[in-house]
Amino acid sequence: MAGEFSRLTSEIAQTGEVKRRRDSSTQLRNMGFAQRRSLEKRGTLAQPAESKLTAQQLDSLHVGLNADDRSVRLNAITIAGDLGGATSVRALQANCEAGDLDIRLAAISSLGDIGGIESTSILTRLASDSDEDAEVRFAALTALEELAAKRITSGPDRRFDPAGDPSTTAGAVDKPNEFTQTSEALVRELCAIESDSSADDLLRLKAADIRGYLESGVT
């Protein structure tokens, strides 16, 4: 399997025949989906999902995230959500600014799959931008809602939960504070969306749901 991942990611990064790159990206997308154990988000609000690819494979995949061919690019974005990790976030963020709405929505979905503080911050900015397309804002809120609700089914991440295991490694000491700041910023933006009478009702309702998860202490 590892060898197949290497071959396909390498082919995605090539500048050769477009059809071959499309076929390889489609095959890898299908393999990535097959690796998923559920449709639940891979990461959490606090912690990004761990990548299932090597650094070299990720580098090749990230080339595909900037592909001129739309099909290759969309497949690479989906693959990043299924198999990527924290190092994929910046490349996905760039795709959130694309002129193609489908590319933007795919990138938002993959950021939600990876999760983590950086993804949460990006999604929060998109959701709270009143000048942004309503569909983009709704997609960002949906990703945040699914991340916020994840602990109901998966339980808290003990590396960040205050009641977690006291034997947590020293390397994570600063991250709870960073997550607290990110979470507080998210709540502020959610409150702003709820109080914005010009916002779509669906956006306001979804913002209220997410805030309810956050303030309940479940997340």
Side-chain angles (χ1 to χ4, degrees):
M1 183 70 73
E4 192 71 352
F5 281 156
S6 293
R7 180 182 70 81
L8 292 172
T9 52
S10 177
E11 288 182 357
I12 289 173
Q14 298 304 312
T15 57
E17 183 185 354
V18 172
K19 183 180 183 304
R20 183 174 182 181
R21 295 180 73 198
R22 287 178 180 173
D23 290 344
S24 295
S25 66
T26 299
Q27 187 176 345
L28 186 57
R29 182 198 66 198
N30 293 338
M31 290 173 64
F33 182 76
Q35 293 285 309
R36 298 288 294 263
R37 295 184 178 181
S38 75
L39 295 179
E40 188 176 61
K41 297 301 185 185
R42 294 173 55 227
T44 67
L45 284 171
Q47 183 73 4
E50 294 183 4
S51 176
K52 298 184 179 181
L53 300 176
T54 66
Q56 184 175 358
Q57 291 166 352
L58 282 169
D59 286 343
S60 296
L61 175 60
H62 295 163
V63 172
L65 291 173
N66 296 310
D68 292 332
D69 184 78
R70 184 174 185 271
S71 178
V72 172
R73 193 171 177 182
L74 280 169
N75 281 336
I77 290 170
T78 300
I79 295 162
D82 286 338
L83 300 174
T87 60
S88 302
V89 170
R90 291 295 176 88
L92 287 170
Q93 180 181 11
N95 279 282
C96 289
E97 307 300 326
D100 186 318
L101 180 59
D102 287 340
I103 286 177
R104 300 188 73 191
L105 296 177
I108 288 169
S109 178
S110 286
L111 282 173
D113 272 321
I114 292 173
I117 294 171
E118 188 175 8
S119 290
T120 298
S121 295
I122 295 167
L123 293 170
T124 300
R125 288 196 296 272
L126 289 169
S128 60
D129 186 351
S130 59
D131 294 326
E132 186 56 85
D133 184 283
E135 194 168 355
V136 168
R137 297 183 71 187
F138 187 81
L141 284 171
T142 298
L144 289 167
E145 181 181 33
E146 292 174 357
L147 285 167
K150 184 175 179 182
R151 287 189 180 183
I152 294 176
T153 55
S154 300
D157 186 334
R158 292 301 180 188
R159 289 166 292 187
F160 293 89
D161 190 275
D165 186 341
S167 66
T168 299
T169 60
V173 166
D174 294 335
K175 290 186 177 180
N177 291 332
E178 185 180 357
F179 175 60
T180 297
Q181 293 171 2
T182 301
S183 181
E184 289 175 348
L186 173 55
V187 170
R188 287 195 299 271
E189 296 300 341
L190 293 171
C191 289
I193 293 171
E194 288 181 75
S195 62
D196 182 2
S197 59
S198 66
D200 185 283
D201 286 345
L202 286 176
L203 295 179
R204 296 169 68 187
L205 287 170
K206 193 166 282 291
D209 287 343
I210 300 169
R211 185 173 58 82
Y213 286 130
L214 291 168
E215 293 185 344
S216 70
V218 173
T219 60

Coordinates of all heavy atoms in Angstrom, one line a residue, residues 116-150:
G116 N -7.8 20.9 14.0 CA -6.7 21.6 14.6 C -6.9 23.1 14.8 O -7.8 23.6 14.2
I117 N -6.0 23.7 15.6 CA -6.1 25.1 15.9 C -6.0 26.0 14.6 O -6.8 26.9 14.5 CB -5.1 25.5 16.9 CG1 -5.3 24.8 18.2 CG2 -5.0 27.0 17.1 CD1 -4.2 24.9 19.3
E118 N -5.1 25.7 13.7 CA -4.9 26.5 12.5 C -6.1 26.4 11.6 O -6.6 27.4 11.1 CB -3.6 26.1 11.8 CG -3.3 27.0 10.7 CD -1.9 26.7 10.0 OE1 -1.4 25.6 10.3 OE2 -1.5 27.5 9.2
S119 N -6.6 25.2 11.4 CA -7.8 25.0 10.6 C -9.0 25.7 11.2 O -9.8 26.3 10.5 CB -8.1 23.5 10.4 OG -7.2 22.9 9.6
T120 N -9.1 25.6 12.5 CA -10.3 26.2 13.2 C -10.2 27.7 13.0 O -11.3 28.4 12.8 CB -10.2 25.9 14.7 OG1 -10.4 24.5 14.9 CG2 -11.3 26.6 15.5
S121 N -9.1 28.3 13.1 CA -8.9 29.8 12.9 C -9.3 30.2 11.5 O -10.0 31.2 11.3 CB -7.5 30.2 13.2 OG -7.2 30.0 14.6
I122 N -8.9 29.4 10.5 CA -9.2 29.7 9.1 C -10.7 29.6 8.9 O -11.3 30.5 8.2 CB -8.4 28.8 8.2 CG1 -6.9 29.0 8.3 CG2 -8.9 28.9 6.7 CD1 -6.1 27.9 7.6
L123 N -11.3 28.5 9.3 CA -12.7 28.3 9.2 C -13.5 29.4 9.9 O -14.5 29.9 9.4 CB -13.1 26.9 9.7 CG -12.6 25.8 8.9 CD1 -12.8 24.5 9.7 CD2 -13.2 25.7 7.5
T124 N -13.0 29.9 11.0 CA -13.7 30.9 11.8 C -13.7 32.2 11.0 O -14.7 32.9 10.9 CB -13.0 31.1 13.2 OG1 -13.1 29.9 13.9 CG2 -13.7 32.3 13.9
R125 N -12.6 32.5 10.4 CA -12.5 33.8 9.6 C -13.4 33.7 8.4 O -14.1 34.7 8.1 CB -11.0 34.0 9.1 CG -10.1 34.4 10.2 CD -8.8 35.0 9.6 NE -8.0 34.0 8.9 CZ -7.1 33.2 9.4 NH1 -6.9 33.3 10.7 NH2 -6.5 32.4 8.7
L126 N -13.5 32.6 7.7 CA -14.4 32.4 6.6 C -15.9 32.6 7.0 O -16.7 33.2 6.4 CB -14.2 31.1 5.9 CG -12.9 31.0 5.1 CD1 -12.6 29.5 4.7 CD2 -12.9 31.8 3.9
A127 N -16.2 31.9 8.1 CA -17.6 31.9 8.6 C -18.0 33.3 9.0 O -19.2 33.6 8.9 CB -17.7 30.9 9.7
S128 N -17.1 34.1 9.6 CA -17.5 35.4 10.2 C -17.4 36.5 9.2 O -17.8 37.7 9.5 CB -16.6 35.6 11.4 OG -15.3 35.7 11.0
D129 N -16.9 36.3 8.0 CA -16.8 37.4 7.0 C -18.1 37.7 6.3 O -18.6 36.9 5.5 CB -15.7 37.0 5.9 CG -15.4 38.1 5.0 OD1 -16.1 39.1 5.0 OD2 -14.5 37.9 4.2
S130 N -18.7 38.8 6.7 CA -20.0 39.2 6.2 C -20.0 39.5 4.7 O -21.0 39.5 4.0 CB -20.6 40.4 7.0 OG -19.7 41.5 6.8
D131 N -18.8 39.7 4.1 CA -18.7 40.0 2.7 C -18.5 38.7 1.9 O -18.5 38.7 0.7 CB -17.5 40.9 2.4 CG -17.7 42.3 3.0 OD1 -18.9 42.8 3.0 OD2 -16.8 43.0 3.4
E132 N -18.4 37.6 2.6 CA -18.1 36.3 2.0 C -19.4 35.7 1.4 O -20.5 36.0 1.9 CB -17.5 35.4 3.0 CG -17.0 34.0 2.4 CD -16.0 34.2 1.3 OE1 -14.8 34.3 1.6 OE2 -16.5 34.2 0.1
D133 N -19.2 34.9 0.4 CA -20.4 34.1 -0.2 C -21.1 33.3 0.9 O -20.4 32.7 1.7 CB -19.8 33.2 -1.3 CG -20.9 32.5 -2.0 OD1 -21.5 31.5 -1.5 OD2 -21.2 32.9 -3.2
A134 N -22.4 33.4 0.9 CA -23.2 32.7 2.0 C -22.9 31.2 2.0 O -22.9 30.6 3.0 CB -24.7 33.0 1.8
E135 N -22.7 30.6 0.8 CA -22.5 29.2 0.7 C -21.1 28.8 1.3 O -21.0 27.8 2.0 CB -22.5 28.7 -0.7 CG -22.6 27.2 -0.9 CD -23.0 26.8 -2.3 OE1 -23.2 27.7 -3.2 OE2 -22.9 25.6 -2.6
V136 N -20.1 29.7 1.2 CA -18.8 29.5 1.8 C -18.9 29.6 3.3 O -18.4 28.8 4.0 CB -17.8 30.5 1.2 CG1 -16.5 30.5 2.0 CG2 -17.5 30.2 -0.2
R137 N -19.6 30.6 3.8 CA -19.8 30.8 5.2 C -20.5 29.6 5.8 O -20.2 29.1 6.9 CB -20.6 32.1 5.5 CG -19.9 33.3 5.1 CD -20.7 34.6 5.4 NE -20.7 34.8 6.9 CZ -21.5 35.7 7.5 NH1 -22.3 36.5 6.8 NH2 -21.4 35.8 8.8
F138 N -21.6 29.1 5.1 CA -22.3 28.0 5.7 C -21.5 26.7 5.7 O -21.5 26.0 6.7 CB -23.5 27.7 4.8 CG -24.5 26.7 5.3 CD1 -25.4 27.0 6.3 CD2 -24.4 25.4 4.8 CE1 -26.3 26.0 6.8 CE2 -25.3 24.4 5.3 CZ -26.2 24.7 6.3
A139 N -20.6 26.5 4.7 CA -19.7 25.4 4.6 C -18.7 25.4 5.8 O -18.4 24.4 6.4 CB -19.0 25.3 3.3
A140 N -18.2 26.6 6.0 CA -17.2 26.8 7.1 C -17.9 26.5 8.5 O -17.3 25.8 9.3 CB -16.6 28.2 7.1
L141 N -19.1 27.0 8.7 CA -19.8 26.7 9.9 C -20.1 25.3 10.1 O -20.1 24.7 11.2 CB -21.1 27.6 9.9 CG -20.9 29.1 10.3 CD1 -22.3 29.8 10.1 CD2 -20.4 29.3 11.7
T142 N -20.5 24.6 9.0 CA -20.8 23.2 9.0 C -19.6 22.4 9.4 O -19.7 21.5 10.3 CB -21.3 22.7 7.6 OG1 -22.5 23.4 7.3 CG2 -21.6 21.2 7.7
A143 N -18.4 22.7 8.9 CA -17.2 22.0 9.3 C -16.9 22.3 10.8 O -16.5 21.3 11.5 CB -16.0 22.5 8.4
L144 N -17.1 23.5 11.2 CA -16.9 23.8 12.6 C -17.8 23.1 13.5 O -17.5 22.6 14.6 CB -17.0 25.3 12.9 CG -15.8 26.1 12.3 CD1 -16.2 27.6 12.3 CD2 -14.5 25.9 13.1
E145 N -19.1 23.0 13.1 CA -20.1 22.3 13.9 C -19.8 20.8 14.0 O -19.9 20.2 15.1 CB -21.5 22.4 13.2 CG -22.6 21.7 14.0 CD -23.9 21.9 13.3 OE1 -23.9 21.9 12.1 OE2 -24.9 22.0 14.0
E146 N -19.3 20.2 12.9 CA -19.0 18.8 13.0 C -17.8 18.5 13.9 O -17.7 17.5 14.6 CB -18.8 18.2 11.6 CG -20.0 18.2 10.8 CD -19.8 17.8 9.3 OE1 -18.7 17.6 8.9 OE2 -20.8 17.7 8.6
L147 N -16.8 19.4 13.9 CA -15.7 19.3 14.8 C -16.1 19.5 16.2 O -15.6 18.8 17.1 CB -14.6 20.3 14.4 CG -13.8 20.0 13.1 CD1 -13.0 21.2 12.7 CD2 -12.8 18.8 13.3
A148 N -16.9 20.5 16.4 CA -17.4 20.8 17.8 C -18.2 19.7 18.4 O -18.1 19.4 19.6 CB -18.2 22.1 17.8
A149 N -19.0 19.0 17.5 CA -19.8 17.9 18.0 C -19.1 16.6 18.2 O -19.6 15.6 18.8 CB -21.0 17.7 17.0
K150 N -17.9 16.5 17.7 CA -17.2 15.2 17.6 C -17.0 14.6 19.0 O -17.0 13.4 19.2 CB -15.8 15.4 16.9 CG -15.1 14.0 16.7 CD -13.9 14.2 15.9 CE -13.2 12.8 15.8 NZ -11.9 12.9 15.0

